[in-house]
Amino acid sequence: MDKYQPVTHVIFDLDGLLLNTETLYFKLDSALCAKHGGKFTTEIKRKIMGTTELRSAEIIVEELKLPVTPQDYLSQLKQSAMEHITEVDVMPGVDELFQHLHENNIPFAIATGSSYQIYLKKVQKHEKLFSLVDHITAASSDPDVKNGKPAPDVFLVCADRFKDKPHPSKCLVFEDAPAGVTAAVSAGMQVVMVPDEDYITDDLKRDATVVLKSLKDFRPEWFGLPPYPEKKE
């Protein structure tokens, strides 16, 4: 593991990494696009992963030439999401990793493309677990985030909000989305990618510091963090 550099802080993406929201959003986008005469595809899904809410709507409307404005599309999607988003579960390994970082006083935060309002709805079911997070940077509603992923802004803003303001090289990012990996690398941070296999390409595997099938496969000691305690048989 010599290629990995020690870190002191951790930044997580949200959707598809910590919360199993991607399946739900695929259903919601598919239904909304069909309502307006378009077909939502995995290719379009790949293009919008990790971007801000408005940018995602712009891409969908433009790609499918839907007869609505991006703002109208986004408004309709949010209305649908609000009815179902509190039902999503955490991904495997999240609870253990959050608890481990917290117990070892490793600062960790979330940098998401969502708005803060939507973020609160998404984590409502898991409020106690997400209360361990140091802070949230929500790109779609944060005035300090000028550009969404794949620009590095959200990660740089998030890192700067830790109390001790670590250098970007001391931050480890966890991502599932291609745009997020690009953003993290552009920010000068190492990145652990836990992708959905439907959206991964060889070039993204090369860009990420390491690619894992699950957060359960992560080993903190790779990056100079305290290892998980040995489990008793």
Side-chain angles (χ1 to χ4, degrees), residues 8-9 25 30 61 120 130 140 143 148 191 227:
T8 56
H9 297 66
Y25 268 110
S30 296
V61 170
L120 291 176
F130 281 84
S140 288
V191 54

Side-chain angles (χ1 to χ4, degrees), residues 45-87:
K45 179 64 178 178
R46 186 181 294 113
K47 292 181 180 181
I48 68 172
M49 287 180 70
T51 60
T52 62
E53 295 168 352
L54 181 57
R55 182 58 189 143
S56 293
E58 289 172 346
I59 292 171
I60 292 170
V61 170
E62 180 181 336
E63 290 275 335
L64 297 179
K65 297 179 172 53
L66 301 183
V68 291
T69 67
Q71 291 80 4
D72 286 342
Y73 182 94
L74 180 57
S75 176
Q76 293 172 40
L77 182 65
K78 282 185 174 182
Q79 185 174 356
S80 297
M82 283 297 189
E83 299 173 6
H84 303 283
I85 203 66
T86 58
E87 303 167 8

Side-chain angles (χ1 to χ4, degrees), residues 118-169:
I118 294 291
Y119 165 82
L120 291 176
K121 293 289 289 187
K122 288 176 180 177
V123 304
Q124 183 176 315
K125 182 179 176 181
H126 315 283
E127 186 176 354
K128 184 176 180 180
L129 178 62
F130 281 84
S131 70
L132 302 178
V133 176
D134 186 272
H135 60 274
I136 313 300
T137 304
S140 288
S141 59
D142 195 315
D144 291 334
V145 181
K146 304 304 181 186
N147 302 287
K149 304 171 188 176
D153 302 34
V154 68
F155 290 127
L156 294 173
V157 170
C158 189
D160 191 59
R161 289 180 180 166
F162 285 113
K163 292 179 181 178
D164 51 353
K165 299 185 182 297
H167 189 273
S169 65

Side-chain angles (χ1 to χ4, degrees), residues 13 49-51 149-150 155 173 175-186 191:
D13 175 49
M49 287 180 70
T51 60
K149 304 171 188 176
F155 290 127
V173 171
E175 264 286 355
D176 73 305
V181 171
T182 301
V185 172
S186 298
V191 54

